[in-house]
Each structure stands twice: as structure tokens, then as C-alpha cells.
Amino acid sequence: MSVADRLVDLGLTIPAVAAPVAAYVPAVVSGRHVFTAGQLPFVDGALPVTGKVGATVDADTATAQARQAALNGLAAVQSVVGSLDRVAKVVKVTVFVASDPSFTGQPGVANGASQLVGDVFGEAGIHARSAVGVAVLPLDAPVEVELIVELTD
């Protein structure tokens, strides 16, 4: 099954690539790998939620935002390789969670991103991951996601 078919089955649409908010590009190809810039959970060019997880943003909302940020990461990958069918393997997912100092559930929030790439790529979506709590993210986003994927020949 193609990735496009799997996306349809999942009821997902790859969004337009989010415009960079500073001096960088959304994704870069190096050899057989694509490295994305940190992707915020933009929907139609806006952040639907802002704030710190564990304070003004609950963990379930943050998990959904991590899923959206990962979907935006797939858009960045697609923008530089043409088709997500060129992805042989999701190598690494890094999820940054803007956290209240008492919040320790970053791995659960990061599952939003991990489950998305698993749903989209199946076995090829099994990856290494880091879930990192941080004090603040750009534009007061609750999460930011980076992807590293390996391409087919």
C-alpha cells in the first residue's frame, strides 16, 4: 500500500509546508537522509494552542499537538523529496515539550508524533526517539517535532 493510500485510510491530508519563522528551510536532504527543521503544530498557518504543558495545556491536548507537528514534519519531507513513498525508514523523532517545571510526562506527549509516523509508515515508522522538556518554544508553542528519515535509493 502506498503512503498516499495509507493517509487516505487514516483520514489524513498532508498540509502545506509551514513557512519558516526565521532564517532556515523546512527540510534538507543530505545523502540518503532528510533532516527537518523543528516543526510547530500549525494548522492553516496558526497555532491552535499555546502555553506550557502541565500548566495551561493538558497532556492530551499536547499529544494531539505533537501529532500535528509530526504531520507538518511529513509535509516538510515531502516538499524536498516529492513523494513520501521515497521514505525507507523513519530514523529518529525528537519531540520538544514546553513544560511546566512539575510536568514529567514528556514521553506520553511525544507518543502523538511517534504513533503518527507508525500509522503512516508501518514497520518503516519504527524509530529512535527523544522527548525533551524545555522552558519555552518559539511562538509559545507547546510542542515542536524534528524528524530524520532515510530515503530509498
Side-chain angles (χ1 to χ4, degrees):
M1 174 183 282
S2 73
V3 173
D5 290 340
R6 196 169 290 126
L7 288 165
V8 169
D9 285 352
L10 294 168
L12 297 172
T13 303
I14 298 295
V17 178
V21 297
Y24 61 90
V25 294
V28 172
V29 178
S30 179
R32 289 185 50 205
H33 291 88
V34 178
F35 298 80
T36 71
Q39 300 294 309
L40 300 179
F42 287 119
V43 175
D44 297 326
L47 289 174
V49 177
T50 58
K52 305 296 177 282
V53 182
T56 59
V57 179
D58 64 70
D60 289 340
T61 299
T63 301
Q65 294 299 291
R67 183 176 177 87
Q68 180 63 45
L71 189 62
N72 292 346
L74 296 183
V77 171
Q78 182 174 278
S79 75
V80 294
V81 301
S83 170
L84 292 175
D85 286 319
R86 292 197 53 209
V87 174
K89 179 86 179 136
V90 177
V91 177
K92 176 90 187 266
V93 175
T94 303
V95 181
F96 300 95
V97 181
S99 304
D100 180 82
S102 66
F103 183 75
T104 60
Q106 292 83 4
V109 170
N111 281 344
S114 291
Q115 290 168 346
L116 176 85
V117 298
D119 291 345
V120 171
F121 294 107
E123 279 288 314
I126 298 172
H127 56 275
R129 183 181 83 188
S130 297
V132 183
V134 298
V136 67
L137 288 167
L139 307 177
D140 201 25
V143 298
E144 182 173 352
V145 174
E146 294 179 356
L147 303 174
I148 301 171
V149 303
E150 181 181 359
L151 301 173
T152 59
D153 291 331

